Amino acid sequence: MQTVSVFLQSTHQHYIERFRHILQSMQEMIDTSPVRIECRVEEHECHTQFRFVSWSREEYTCDTLEYMASFVALVITEWTMQVVEVEMLRSFLKRKEHRALIHKFDEIYPYIQFVFHELDEVRENMNRSTRKAAIYEQVLQYIEEEQYLYLEGFVKFRLKNYHILLDKAFDMGLQQYQQDKEYQEFVELLRFFVSKQEHRYPLVHVVLRESHEFFMYDQEDTKIDLSQLEAILGFKPDRQEDYIVSALIALAPEKIVIHGAEESSLLLQTMQAVFGDRVLACVSCAHCLTTPGNLDFQFSSHYNT
């Protein structure tokens, strides 16, 4: 028979209830045969004790001896990531420089989750363990040597590298959230400005080339000279999508057809965000099907009619 005890402070009833729930879920999902594992819950004055007991139907071997430790380590890992991780990330917003964003946590959290996904993917490609595997390995190592684990203290003092990773992911996620908010506010400003413009062109074609160049043509397939655009703007935008959007705002077309852009491209998404349903994407006309070096714009497309 093997025993491992996990203690949670009685003052943290939320932690205890979530631990019970995760434990029950794991017991239903995981078959530990040929080892039988039971958990007995005992209430003490200051702690709630989860006492794990295991029996092997046969004589214990090196493999079956690991069943108990592995199961308990998995439960603790899930509890740490599902319960403690979220509360720690939320607590980071209580820092002086972030307090104004405390009520925005639910909006910020998806950005942090995305960062975690990216970080874990990078670590996997480097043959390094993900954060889940790293927590599991540390818990497993501990309970293979010790029978008693005080969970809050273990997370606080033994998982310091995990804390550093959380801090890093929080900062990166918050930065992306703030950049996205700034972008959305900027797009709303552009949308408002565009809605007040008088149309100068009934139709403008935006034709993309493989070399990240682009050309614009009017409804008669006449090339639009953009040489004066930089003088009007006072600068040349570095990114292609910024340059194209700036040019279209200056040209003020009633309808825009973009050729050669993928449906998921940032350029198309940006144009649709700014100009709304005035933007049409085309992938099947002469502009799109003819190779960039052989485009013949003397042939009209059905978008001109």
Side-chain angles (χ1 to χ4, degrees), residues 214-272:
F214 70 92
F215 296 97
M216 292 187 179
Y217 300 84
D218 64 16
Q219 67 279 4
E220 303 296 334
D221 277 339
T222 301
K223 186 176 180 181
I224 299 173
D225 184 6
L226 299 177
S227 60
Q228 296 181 351
L229 179 63
E230 294 173 30
I232 296 173
L233 295 174
F235 68 99
K236 180 179 179 179
D238 294 329
R239 298 192 308 171
Q240 183 196 54
E241 57 265 24
D242 294 339
Y243 198 179
I244 292 175
V245 170
S246 299
L248 290 170
I249 290 174
L251 296 173
E254 183 178 1
K255 185 164 67 172
I256 303 164
V257 180
I258 181 167
H259 304 267
E262 295 182 3
E263 186 176 348
S264 60
S265 70
L266 176 61
L267 171 59
L268 184 56
Q269 291 175 1
T270 301
M271 289 176 60
Q272 290 172 334

Side-chain angles (χ1 to χ4, degrees), residues 156-216:
K156 184 175 182 179
F157 298 108
R158 294 276 184 153
L159 299 180
K160 291 184 177 179
N161 288 336
Y162 175 57
H163 294 189
I164 293 172
L165 179 61
L166 287 184
D167 204 4
K168 179 180 179 181
F170 172 83
D171 287 340
M172 293 173 66
L174 180 60
Q175 183 180 25
Q176 291 183 15
Y177 166 79
Q178 291 173 327
Q179 290 175 347
D180 194 33
K181 282 296 180 184
E182 290 173 1
Y183 168 77
Q184 291 174 14
E185 291 172 1
F186 179 64
V187 166
E188 284 302 314
L189 181 62
L190 291 179
R191 283 178 64 89
F192 176 78
F193 177 76
V194 166
S195 70
K196 301 299 181 181
Q197 281 185 310
E198 292 186 9
H199 301 308
R200 295 179 55 199
Y201 286 81
L203 173 64
V204 168
H205 293 278
V206 181
V207 181
L208 304 179
R209 288 200 171 184
E210 295 177 351
S211 58
H212 298 288
E213 293 181 313
F214 70 92
F215 296 97
M216 292 187 179

Side-chain angles (χ1 to χ4, degrees), residues 40-276:
R40 302 168 183 174
V41 182
E42 301 175 9
E43 301 290 345
H44 301 280
E45 184 177 353
C46 298
H47 296 90
T48 297
Q49 178 183 4
F50 291 85
R51 186 167 179 264
F52 293 87
V53 182
S54 74
W55 297 269
S56 178
R57 296 173 183 173
E58 303 171 359
E59 184 177 351
Y60 275 112
T61 65
C62 291
D63 290 334
T64 55
L65 284 171
E66 294 181 359
Y67 274 59
M68 164 75 93
S70 298
F71 179 78
V72 177
L74 185 59
V75 173
I76 291 173
T77 299
E78 288 297 326
W79 178 85
T80 301
M81 294 185 65
Q82 292 184 29
V83 182
V84 177
E85 180 170 290
V86 176
E87 293 200 5
M88 287 184 63
L89 291 169
R90 192 186 299 273
S91 72
F92 292 159
L93 284 176
K94 296 179 181 178
R95 296 170 181 169
K96 184 176 180 180
E97 65 271 26
H98 302 317
R99 284 179 184 171
L101 296 172
I102 289 177
H103 64 292
K104 297 288 187 180
F105 179 76
D106 290 342
E107 295 180 21
I108 298 170
Y109 186 53
Y111 291 84
I112 301 172
Q113 289 180 306
F114 178 78
V115 171
F116 276 139
H117 173 75
E118 294 295 303
L119 290 176
D120 281 351
E121 199 169 70
V122 169
R123 290 166 71 90
E124 281 185 317
N125 290 338
M126 295 171 63
N127 293 321
R128 297 171 60 193
S129 61
T130 64
R131 76 187 194 286
K132 183 174 183 177
I135 296 170
Y136 174 83
E137 289 166 6
Q138 283 190 267
V139 176
L140 183 63
Q141 181 180 1
Y142 183 87
I143 59 181
E144 283 179 339
E145 299 172 358
E146 304 288 344
Q147 285 186 308
Y148 301 98
L149 187 150
Y150 291 84
L151 198 43
E152 289 99 336
F154 179 87
V155 171
K156 184 175 182 179
F157 298 108
R158 294 276 184 153
L159 299 180
K160 291 184 177 179
N161 288 336
Y162 175 57
H163 294 189
I164 293 172
L165 179 61
L166 287 184
D167 204 4
K168 179 180 179 181
F170 172 83
D171 287 340
M172 293 173 66
L174 180 60
Q175 183 180 25
Q176 291 183 15
Y177 166 79
Q178 291 173 327
Q179 290 175 347
D180 194 33
K181 282 296 180 184
E182 290 173 1
Y183 168 77
Q184 291 174 14
E185 291 172 1
F186 179 64
V187 166
E188 284 302 314
L189 181 62
L190 291 179
R191 283 178 64 89
F192 176 78
F193 177 76
V194 166
S195 70
K196 301 299 181 181
Q197 281 185 310
E198 292 186 9
H199 301 308
R200 295 179 55 199
Y201 286 81
L203 173 64
V204 168
H205 293 278
V206 181
V207 181
L208 304 179
R209 288 200 171 184
E210 295 177 351
S211 58
H212 298 288
E213 293 181 313
F214 70 92
F215 296 97
M216 292 187 179
Y217 300 84
D218 64 16
Q219 67 279 4
E220 303 296 334
D221 277 339
T222 301
K223 186 176 180 181
I224 299 173
D225 184 6
L226 299 177
S227 60
Q228 296 181 351
L229 179 63
E230 294 173 30
I232 296 173
L233 295 174
F235 68 99
K236 180 179 179 179
D238 294 329
R239 298 192 308 171
Q240 183 196 54
E241 57 265 24
D242 294 339
Y243 198 179
I244 292 175
V245 170
S246 299
L248 290 170
I249 290 174
L251 296 173
E254 183 178 1
K255 185 164 67 172
I256 303 164
V257 180
I258 181 167
H259 304 267
E262 295 182 3
E263 186 176 348
S264 60
S265 70
L266 176 61
L267 171 59
L268 184 56
Q269 291 175 1
T270 301
M271 289 176 60
Q272 290 172 334
V274 174
F275 298 98

